[in-house]
Amino acid sequence: MARPKEFDELAALDAAISVFRDKGYAATSATMLVEALHIGRQSLYDTFGDKWRLYLEAVRRYAAQETEAHLTALKTGPQSIDGIDALLARVVATASEACLGVGSICEFGTSQPELTTIHEAAGRRLHAAVIERVREAQSEGSIGGDIDPEQAAQFLTSNIAAIRLAARAGVGGDSLLALARLALRGLR
């Protein structure tokens, strides 16, 4: 009979997310993961398979959490443009923390189909929600009717990635906020 697990899998996965966010996949060793997750090497492999499987689960969980947080921000405010502003403000507020999504795209691009599938699924959800908010903002008169909602959504999601990359490169909060303000102004 197998021994019951003596650790919280989700807490361990969150610890793995932290390591992968900071180091990336290639620079993360099994030893780093064992130390961060506070579990034995065999428990790591028994629970998550190998490092790649753990990475995929970490990216999947991170993408789901970030997407939900983005969607929540997008729904705030009395007008749709306020939600878009809240989304950008949230990105600026959290930009000092490395983004596992952007990091994994930078590290792997589209070379790993399983990873690409995770990114695409999260991206579709956010993209659709941004399109909806842009259309609502257009009907409220706060975004120009001549702006294509599909292109506006791509513009905003690209700016989210750019803000996170700029933060990772050391750009400070005031400059990140200015980038967010410029992105919002580009929609008017």
Side-chain angles (χ1 to χ4, degrees), residues 8-92:
D8 179 339
E9 268 187 58
L10 293 179
L13 195 52
D14 288 339
I17 288 170
S18 181
V19 175
F20 288 130
R21 282 173 82 169
D22 186 46
K23 304 288 184 193
Y25 177 79
T28 297
S29 69
T31 301
M32 288 176 188
L33 291 167
V34 165
E35 288 174 4
L37 278 61
H38 303 292
I39 62 175
R41 189 177 298 266
Q42 193 58 49
S43 292
L44 175 78
Y45 292 121
D46 288 347
T47 303
F48 299 107
D50 57 14
K51 180 175 131 180
W52 180 247
R53 293 283 154 229
L54 175 58
Y55 185 71
L56 290 174
E57 285 306 309
V59 172
R60 187 175 288 112
R61 180 168 170 79
Y62 180 83
Q65 291 172 332
E66 278 297 294
T67 300
E68 282 306 314
H70 286 338
L71 296 178
T72 298
L74 204 52
K75 294 174 187 170
T76 61
Q79 295 207 317
S80 298
I81 195 72
D82 298 324
I84 295 168
D85 185 40
L87 169 64
L88 291 169
R90 179 192 179 278
V91 170
V92 168

Side-chain angles (χ1 to χ4, degrees), residues 74 80-85 87-88 130-131 133-135 137-138 141-157 159 179-188:
L74 204 52
S80 298
I81 195 72
D82 298 324
I84 295 168
D85 185 40
L87 169 64
L88 291 169
V130 172
I131 288 172
R133 290 305 267 179
V134 167
R135 286 184 176 138
Q138 286 176 317
S142 47
I143 291 181
D146 60 328
I147 292 177
D148 180 279
E150 177 81 27
Q151 291 175 354
Q154 188 61 50
F155 173 74
L156 285 170
T157 55
N159 275 279
L179 291 173
R181 295 290 163 245
L182 283 170
L184 194 60
R185 194 176 326 156
L187 296 175
R188 296 182 183 229

